[in-house]
Amino acid sequence: MSDASPVSASSQKIPVTVLTGYLGAGKTTLLNRILTEQHGKRYAVIVNEFGEIGIDNDLVVGADEEVFEMNNGCVCCTVRGDLIRIMDGLVKRRGKFDAIIVETTGLADPAPVAQTFFVDQDVGEAARLDAVVTVADAKWLTDRLADAPEAKNQIAFADVILLNKSDLVSGEDLDRVEGQIRAINPWAKVHRTERCAIPLDQVLDRNAFDLSRILDVEPDFLEEGHHHHHDEQMQSVSAKIDGPVDPEKFMPWISNLTQVQGPDILRCKGIVAFPDEPKRFVFQGVHMILDGDVQGEWGADEPRVSRVVFIGRNLDPEAIREGFFACKA
């Protein structure tokens, strides 16, 4: 009997790209590139967040694509059921899209995400894991490899790695960081990028996931009891105001907070409303580096809710919330 049938069956499966990378590395930037470039394909997007207030869902700019949001942190623990449920729903609508992208929270170990496609029979029969794509922050990766086990796992499980923000470090440091990556994962294809600028055919439809290699890294990968570890010190502090904030108060507050507590703030992001400003002010930050601008008008019926999220260690939730609430217009 010909052995062609399994290949043809596999080719009929929906390709899934798992997009991972530590907090602030640039995952959403890459996702927005995928969703806005003219490639003629339709993507269903599943985003996953850490914390009780979701913001990533609104940072994704996909126009026609459908975005499914999984909240409450670890895509591999409490919301794996969500992932399977959403995948089951998408499978029933086969033909409405060409591929699926799963963007994990920056605190997720990608192994259990990938595991879902092998241990859940229905998902495994309908979809195939095309590649795990990891975005790494050239400036901060060395620090994260030292203090965040998730960052190391994200490198170890990657098929494709974007060494992003390469313009923020010297060529010598870039070589050193890439050396650290290759010491963990010598098989992955590494691309040096700025703002995740890369031809999409280097990221999507790679057919690159190699189960045998993963079993070399973690022999118990396919076991149902496969576990992973979280950074127990990690905190998510979020707050929202039902209305606009005063830019004369908000801008100095967010600037001072990130300068004073920058070393402990791994990631911050927010969408806030300013009085008499038709567009949303969106900011994102990593440590003391803060970037923000107005983008995208508030919808006619959209409530102008101001939301901020801080992820890090040694944070004072009460002080952060009080400072934010004091900015109310």
Side-chain angles (χ1 to χ4, degrees), residues 80-137:
R80 175 187 266 180
D82 271 2
L83 177 59
I84 293 173
R85 177 181 54 78
I86 293 172
M87 287 293 301
D88 285 343
L90 288 173
V91 167
K92 292 184 175 73
R93 301 169 55 213
R94 182 193 293 270
K96 298 285 183 67
F97 52 89
D98 302 299
I100 298 170
I101 298 172
V102 181
E103 182 195 12
T104 71
T105 167
L107 296 171
D109 178 344
V113 183
Q115 184 193 38
T116 304
F117 295 91
F118 297 94
V119 299
D120 185 86
Q121 182 176 356
D122 292 338
V123 172
E125 288 177 355
R128 64 175 176 84
L129 185 56
D130 183 72
V132 175
V133 178
T134 296
V135 183
D137 187 328

Side-chain angles (χ1 to χ4, degrees), residues 63-275:
D64 300 323
E65 287 77 4
E66 292 198 60
V67 178
F68 301 86
E69 185 174 7
M70 297 184 293
N71 263 1
N72 202 21
C74 179
V75 74
C76 37
C77 296
T78 57
V79 295
R80 175 187 266 180
D82 271 2
L83 177 59
I84 293 173
R85 177 181 54 78
I86 293 172
M87 287 293 301
D88 285 343
L90 288 173
V91 167
K92 292 184 175 73
R93 301 169 55 213
R94 182 193 293 270
K96 298 285 183 67
F97 52 89
D98 302 299
I100 298 170
I101 298 172
V102 181
E103 182 195 12
T104 71
T105 167
L107 296 171
D109 178 344
V113 183
Q115 184 193 38
T116 304
F117 295 91
F118 297 94
V119 299
D120 185 86
Q121 182 176 356
D122 292 338
V123 172
E125 288 177 355
R128 64 175 176 84
L129 185 56
D130 183 72
V132 175
V133 178
T134 296
V135 183
D137 187 328
K139 185 175 178 64
W140 295 107
L141 182 64
T142 297
D143 291 349
R144 296 295 76 79
L145 290 176
D147 65 15
E150 295 90 352
K152 189 171 184 179
N153 290 340
Q154 289 162 0
I155 296 295
F157 270 77
D159 303 296
V160 179
I161 297 172
L162 273 60
L163 185 51
N164 195 38
K165 306 185 184 180
S166 59
D167 54 321
L168 299 183
V169 298
S170 67
E172 184 179 329
D173 283 344
L174 207 54
D175 290 340
R176 178 181 53 76
V177 174
E178 185 167 337
Q180 290 180 292
I181 289 174
R182 295 199 178 283
I184 298 169
N185 183 344
W187 300 278
K189 179 71 174 174
V190 179
H191 301 275
R192 298 180 177 186
T193 60
E194 299 175 21
R195 295 186 177 274
C196 292
I198 187 173
L200 294 185
D201 61 5
Q202 299 297 306
V203 176
L204 302 173
D205 205 20
R206 303 299 298 164
N207 200 21
F209 187 80
D210 184 349
L211 180 60
S212 62
R213 178 176 74 76
I214 297 303
L215 290 172
D216 286 339
V217 177
E218 290 206 30
D220 63 345
F221 173 70
L222 293 180
E223 296 178 13
E224 192 60 55
H226 175 92
H227 66 280
H228 63 288
H229 305 283
H230 291 286
D231 185 340
E232 299 297 339
Q233 294 180 310
M234 198 64 65
Q235 300 168 270
S236 172
V237 180
S238 50
K240 67 177 181 177
I241 293 173
D242 292 325
V245 298
D246 182 348
E248 299 295 325
K249 296 177 181 177
F250 176 78
M251 300 303 279
W253 171 76
I254 188 68
S255 177
N256 180 69
L257 180 64
T258 53
Q259 290 304 307
V260 173
Q261 286 200 257
D264 290 326
I265 298 174
L266 294 174
R267 188 79 167 100
C268 65
K269 51 191 172 182
I271 300 172
V272 299
F274 291 152

Side-chain angles (χ1 to χ4, degrees), residues 4-24:
S5 54
V7 176
S8 58
S10 176
S11 67
Q12 298 302 309
K13 293 183 179 183
I14 304 165
V16 179
T17 300
V18 174
L19 181 55
T20 187
Y22 207 70
L23 299 162

Side-chain angles (χ1 to χ4, degrees), residues 52-55 58-59 237-247 249-251 253-254 269-283 294 298 302-310 320-321 323-329:
E52 64 272 25
I53 294 182
I55 279 184
D58 292 320
L59 294 177
V237 180
S238 50
K240 67 177 181 177
I241 293 173
D242 292 325
V245 298
D246 182 348
K249 296 177 181 177
F250 176 78
M251 300 303 279
W253 171 76
I254 188 68
K269 51 191 172 182
I271 300 172
V272 299
F274 291 152
D276 304 318
E277 170 55 63
K279 293 186 176 182
R280 308 180 304 170
F281 181 79
V282 177
F283 76 89
V294 290
W298 292 94
E302 182 181 7
R304 291 165 64 94
V305 176
S306 299
R307 295 166 289 162
V308 296
V309 175
F310 298 86
I320 289 174
R321 292 190 179 107
F324 178 58
F325 294 150
C327 299
K328 186 173 182 178

